[in-house]
Amino acid sequence: MQSWAILLILCSASLVLADLQCTYFAGILREQVNNEVREEITHLCRLGNGQKYTLPYQLSQELSDVLISGSSRLECVGMEIDEENDEIRVVSDEPLIHVLPDKKSSIYRFIDDSPTNVERSVLVVRIKSSDGRREPSYTKERLNEVIFSDSRNVNSFAFQYKKCSNGKLRFVPGTLEEPMGVPGVVDMVISENFDNLHFDRAMERRVNDLFAKEIAPMNSYDHIIFCLPRNMENKFLAFAIKNDNVSYYADPWCGKLSGTMHEIGHNLGLSHSGEWGNQEYDDESDSMGLGYNRFHGPKKCFNGQKFWYFDWFPNQKVSITSEMLPWSGSLGAFVDVDLDEDIPVVLRVGKLYLVYNRKSKHNREVNEKADMVTVVTADSPSSTSWMLAGLSSRSGSSSTFETTTEFAGEVLTITLEVCQMVNGNVDTSDYAEMVIRTSDQELACPSTSPSLAPLAPSPIPQTAPETEPPIFKTSPLSCVPNGSVCGTDDDCCLPTSRCSDEYTSVCEPEANVVGGTMFSVSSGGGRGGMQRLRSNGRKLGRFR
């Protein structure tokens, strides 16, 4: 059996002459095959020339918990590049790996350590086959709208991130040297007919090489969204690289809000959001959990751990240490962050993260634990988070949750109690009154004040109904009108229509459709950490 020597080097100098040096990246691939969705984590290393190669399988398994995507540097001895298979292969009986210090310790490497007032460029690339038979369903105009529009009626990808970040993170159309007919969106023709192709490392390389040759260097934009043609053989869903600038989408997912919010989240360094005791995607309060096959929704943001990671509200987040317990205070709704700068909107208690998940404004379509204080746990701000509980006082009495968490190496049992939830007005924030204490401390909720009104649903802003122009898709002669039998959403002529059942139904307006098929993760294994997901027969087609 091959022996490995893996060293964590704490100095910047290498101890031996390395055969190659590279930066580690984690790629997340999702495919749907025969009604099953499979996920595979691909461990990659990028050389100085920008090319990425797959790391040896055993190495990736042993180091997956040590390496940080986009930051960890490796020096490899006894290995070489296999160009034909796009991988790094072992050529020695005793391969040696040096894991060097990270380039930057800050989690904000991707935005140069400046978490606020950031503007990031995005170029959307429609990939077409040279024979003209394969292209994405969406026109350039349509993609410009669903990615960049600043209209509340459209609720684009850029608009939703802007609202969730309170204007701190803004995505703008990327530009080229020559004039662009549609801002931020270009076509790229590839010499493949896609009839018998599926997305893999080789195809990723062909797409990237062609982009660098015909459009611009890969590092010219903060994010590149590749929209692949419809009806590819294996129906893969998406592929994104954590802490990198590229993401790839099967048609029609590059036009779906859940798809872009989720995959660009990976680009920005986010991990998944799961439900404790269930699966890694089951937190539906967060865009890094389950998603939906919808154009403009659901309108929701993130859980407390993700907000803490992004640091969009640096003056309204509080880290509660064990020395500060017992603690009592207010937790404001993050959707009202601009109404009261004196109320925190994110709490960190050991390894727990709390937000008031108010179902209002840009979070008004949140799918889980709406109008509750949500509690998630995570080992770090950038690791996978796990939903533990949702607390509410809507029944007229306080609600509590007891759990253990770690404070600087000390594990304590603590109780989180929501005393009451208070509805503000147009000028003041909605908030929850809370008490946090250890198991041996006593701190009761204060008596309810008559001046504190019970929680009532916040009015949804009065806007024009969200409608889409009746623009036909790119191949109107091969599509079917509303009321006709369809196989998938792509068969419907109007972008406002969906196939009411994924296999046997008719095209009808999107507002009338409950959904397609939901997939849930089941245990799996295999190379690259592949997981198999099975259909559980529920409605609402949800993006993974």
Side-chain angles (χ1 to χ4, degrees):
M1 181 176 179
Q2 204 167 45
S3 61
W4 290 82
I6 301 174
L7 302 178
L8 301 179
I9 308 300
L10 300 180
C11 59
S12 59
S14 174
L15 300 183
V16 297
L17 182 63
D19 295 323
L20 58 94
Q21 299 181 4
C22 56
T23 302
Y24 170 77
F25 285 89
I28 304 166
L29 173 69
R30 277 172 286 283
E31 295 181 308
Q32 180 179 336
V33 183
N34 298 326
N35 265 353
E36 291 186 331
V37 177
R38 301 174 180 177
E39 178 189 85
E40 182 175 358
I41 306 300
T42 305
H43 300 275
L44 308 169
C45 235
R46 185 173 69 187
L47 302 186
N49 61 5
Q51 296 290 358
K52 298 186 183 76
Y53 299 89
T54 305
L55 284 166
Y57 174 69
Q58 184 179 348
L59 166 66
S60 63
Q61 295 302 298
E62 294 186 18
L63 287 183
S64 58
D65 293 334
V66 177
L67 304 178
I68 300 174
S69 182
S71 185
S72 296
R73 294 179 296 159
L74 304 183
E75 290 191 341
C76 307
V77 178
M79 282 167 267
E80 66 180 17
I81 300 297
D82 183 347
E83 292 284 357
E84 182 177 353
N85 296 304
D86 280 329
E87 65 182 17
I88 296 173
R89 64 187 180 92
V90 176
V91 294
S92 169
D93 291 335
E94 296 182 354
L96 178 67
I97 300 294
H98 294 162
V99 182
L100 301 179
D102 298 340
K103 291 179 179 179
K104 288 187 178 181
S105 59
S106 171
I107 60 174
Y108 276 105
R109 178 198 61 79
F110 68 92
I111 52 177
D112 297 328
D113 302 318
S114 177
T116 60
N117 297 318
V118 174
E119 189 172 274
R120 296 180 65 78
S121 63
V122 180
L123 189 69
V124 183
V125 183
R126 296 177 74 252
I127 298 178
K128 305 165 60 175
S129 63
S130 57
D131 60 8
R133 297 176 55 242
R134 294 284 187 269
E135 63 179 318
S137 298
Y138 306 116
T139 64
K140 289 194 287 186
E141 291 78 10
R142 182 69 169 141
L143 285 171
N144 170 270
E145 179 184 56
V146 299
I147 298 296
F148 299 112
S149 174
D150 201 38
S151 168
R152 179 181 295 171
N153 292 337
V154 174
N155 205 75
S156 69
F157 153 80
F159 184 83
Q160 186 65 14
Y161 258 107
K162 185 179 77 170
K163 299 299 289 185
C164 291
S165 68
N166 197 31
K168 302 293 178 61
L169 182 57
R170 302 179 301 279
F171 293 96
V172 298
T175 60
L176 297 173
E177 292 184 0
E178 64 272 15
M180 299 175 66
V182 178
V185 187
V186 297
D187 284 338
M188 187 172 78
V189 178
I190 191 169
S191 58
E192 307 284 352
N193 62 25
F194 295 97
D195 282 339
N196 298 306
L197 288 180
H198 62 277
F199 187 87
D200 56 13
R201 293 281 300 118
M203 184 175 180
E204 178 196 355
R205 169 74 73 88
R206 290 197 294 273
V207 168
N208 292 354
D209 288 349
L210 185 63
F211 180 90
K213 178 181 179 181
E214 297 193 357
I215 297 180
M218 292 292 292
N219 61 358
S220 301
Y221 305 94
D222 294 311
H223 300 279
I224 305 172
I225 293 176
F226 288 105
C227 302
L228 291 168
R230 61 185 299 184
N231 298 331
M232 289 184 62
E233 183 183 61
N234 69 328
K235 296 282 188 179
F236 97 102
L237 297 180
F239 178 69
I241 299 179
K242 192 174 180 181
N243 274 326
D244 200 14
N245 69 335
V246 291
S247 55
Y248 310 79
Y249 303 80
D251 187 80
W253 281 105
C254 65
K256 306 294 185 179
L257 182 62
S258 281
T260 49
M261 288 286 291
H262 187 105
E263 299 305 329
I264 298 300
H266 283 313
N267 280 174
L268 296 174
L270 296 182
S271 297
H272 289 133
S273 298
E275 191 94 21
W276 188 259
N278 291 305
Q279 305 297 342
E280 191 174 330
Y281 300 90
D282 283 358
D283 179 2
E284 295 186 64
S285 74
D286 186 274
S287 293
M288 298 308 293
L290 294 171
Y292 291 72
N293 185 6
R294 292 175 52 189
F295 283 104
H296 305 308
K299 299 173 183 64
K300 64 180 179 181
C301 295
F302 300 97
N303 63 33
Q305 182 231 19
K306 269 62 176 180
F307 276 127
W308 192 278
Y309 171 87
F310 279 127
D311 200 23
W312 288 326
F313 322 123
N315 298 322
Q316 290 175 266
K317 67 178 189 179
V318 174
S319 179
I320 299 175
T321 64
S322 59
E323 292 79 13
M324 297 168 63
L325 298 177
W327 178 92
S328 65
S330 300
L331 177 62
F334 66 80
V335 294
D336 296 331
V337 66
D338 56 334
L339 296 181
D340 195 335
E341 296 181 356
D342 295 327
I343 298 181
V345 296
V346 189
L347 299 180
R348 182 177 183 177
V349 187
K351 291 188 175 182
L352 306 177
Y353 299 83
L354 286 67
V355 291
Y356 179 13
N357 189 35
R358 190 73 167 100
K359 189 173 184 177
S360 177
K361 302 178 181 178
H362 43 281
N363 198 52
R364 65 179 179 267
E365 294 177 346
V366 65
N367 313 98
E368 181 179 349
K369 295 180 174 59
D371 293 329
M372 295 183 176
V373 172
T374 58
V375 184
V376 302
T377 185
D379 289 334
S380 73
S382 59
S383 63
T384 298
S385 65
W386 301 95
M387 175 66 75
L388 297 179
L391 303 177
S392 172
S393 67
R394 285 177 295 176
S395 62
S397 60
S398 66
S399 60
T400 61
F401 175 68
E402 184 177 276
T403 187
T404 59
T405 191
E406 182 180 330
F407 296 88
E410 180 185 13
V411 177
L412 297 177
T413 299
I414 64 169
T415 298
L416 309 170
E417 183 171 7
V418 172
C419 304
Q420 64 177 341
M421 309 180 96
V422 181
N423 198 33
N425 55 44
V426 293
D427 298 318
T428 60
S429 171
D430 298 343
Y431 63 93
E433 291 283 1
M434 294 196 64
V435 167
I436 304 174
R437 58 185 179 270
T438 63
S439 57
D440 58 352
Q441 293 174 334
E442 295 184 4
L443 180 62
C445 285
S447 300
T448 302
S449 170
S451 63
L452 298 180
L455 182 69
S458 290
I460 296 177
Q462 296 300 310
T463 62
E466 296 189 2
T467 59
E468 297 177 341
I471 301 173
F472 281 88
K473 297 179 182 178
T474 54
S475 303
L477 295 180
S478 62
C479 60
V480 296
N482 284 352
S484 299
V485 175
C486 57
T488 68
D489 293 348
D490 295 337
D491 296 332
C492 303
C493 293
L494 297 178
T496 55
S497 298
R498 290 180 57 196
C499 197
S500 58
D501 183 280
E502 190 172 357
Y503 299 103
T504 56
S505 196
V506 297
C507 290
E508 58 186 86
E510 183 178 7
N512 297 340
V513 180
V514 178
T517 303
M518 173 184 162
F519 295 90
S520 60
V521 184
S522 61
S523 60
R527 287 182 63 93
M530 179 176 286
Q531 293 179 312
R532 298 174 63 84
L533 288 73
R534 63 185 185 277
S535 170
N536 64 10
R538 290 176 58 192
K539 291 292 185 179
L540 285 173
R542 304 181 182 185
F543 186 82
R544 291 294 179 165

